[in-house]
Amino acid sequence: MNKELYFRKGAATAPLRQIIESYTEGKCMIGSVSVVLKQDFLMTFEKVLGKAMLDGMAFLNPRMSVPLLALRTFTNRTYVTASVHTLYGVPFRDFISILRVEYAKSFMVENPGLHENVVALKSGFLYASQFVRKFRELTGITPSEWYRRFFNKK
């Protein structure tokens, strides 16, 4: 899987939609708005969500949750979960995991040779085993295998 790196020195360089689409094969659902959510709300919420998650790197908080994101985006839990699922076609947990895995890739490139435990913690995972499991689930390979492939390509 050849993905661009979206995070450089703490700042996101790609929009949230592009990051999530790279994992969902373009299945983001902005066109099919649910009955509960209005199109204008979704567009506004997507900007607020991008600011909270990418600019503030909130996804790196290992305790990031729907209630916490609802507080940061000045809305309620129902709107957060429904909006994330409608906008990106993935549940909230997967949404956070995708952002963390992409960040981990960039972090490994910028800090070569670090142990997986360090990369896991810096990427918002509480445990290295959780990091490896999610990384493999999303990319099909382990972080160490991805690292080897990335640096052998150059």
Side-chain angles (χ1 to χ4, degrees):
M1 217 177 240
N2 185 10
K3 297 200 184 327
E4 295 178 45
L5 300 173
Y6 297 106
F7 304 97
R8 299 263 190 252
K9 296 183 183 168
T13 58
L16 209 47
R17 178 177 303 286
Q18 187 178 357
I19 295 169
I20 303 302
E21 278 182 347
S22 71
Y23 283 90
T24 60
E25 299 171 9
K27 295 178 187 167
C28 290
M29 304 163 68
I30 190 75
S32 59
V33 179
S34 72
V35 176
V36 178
L37 303 172
K38 303 275 189 215
Q39 184 78 19
D40 57 341
F41 172 81
L42 285 171
M43 297 306 239
T44 303
F45 185 76
E46 186 172 29
K47 290 177 187 168
V48 171
L49 184 64
K51 188 162 185 61
M53 296 306 283
L54 296 179
D55 294 348
M57 303 296 251
F59 63 92
L60 294 179
N61 177 353
R63 305 279 184 223
M64 178 50 65
S65 63
V66 172
L68 184 57
L69 185 57
L71 283 173
R72 287 180 178 226
T73 56
F74 305 101
T75 189
N76 63 45
R77 296 179 315 185
T78 303
Y79 276 133
V80 168
T81 56
S83 298
V84 166
H85 199 276
T86 301
L87 286 166
Y88 305 111
V90 295
F92 180 78
R93 287 269 172 229
D94 292 347
F95 172 74
I96 296 296
S97 294
I98 290 168
L99 294 175
R100 288 177 178 166
V101 165
E102 280 301 307
Y103 182 82
K105 288 178 185 179
S106 295
F107 190 77
M108 286 189 285
V109 169
E110 292 174 4
N111 303 282
L114 286 180
H115 194 272
E116 261 178 19
N117 289 341
V118 175
V119 175
L121 291 173
K122 292 290 188 179
S123 302
F125 293 94
L126 284 174
Y127 307 102
S129 59
Q130 177 190 31
F131 167 59
V132 172
R133 187 177 68 250
K134 278 297 181 185
F135 197 100
R136 185 183 306 126
E137 183 182 304
L138 292 170
T139 65
I141 57 177
T142 64
S144 54
E145 178 64 23
W146 180 89
Y147 183 84
R148 280 192 298 277
R149 287 183 186 181
F150 183 84
F151 281 103
N152 285 339
K153 230 176 19 176
K154 287 191 163 195

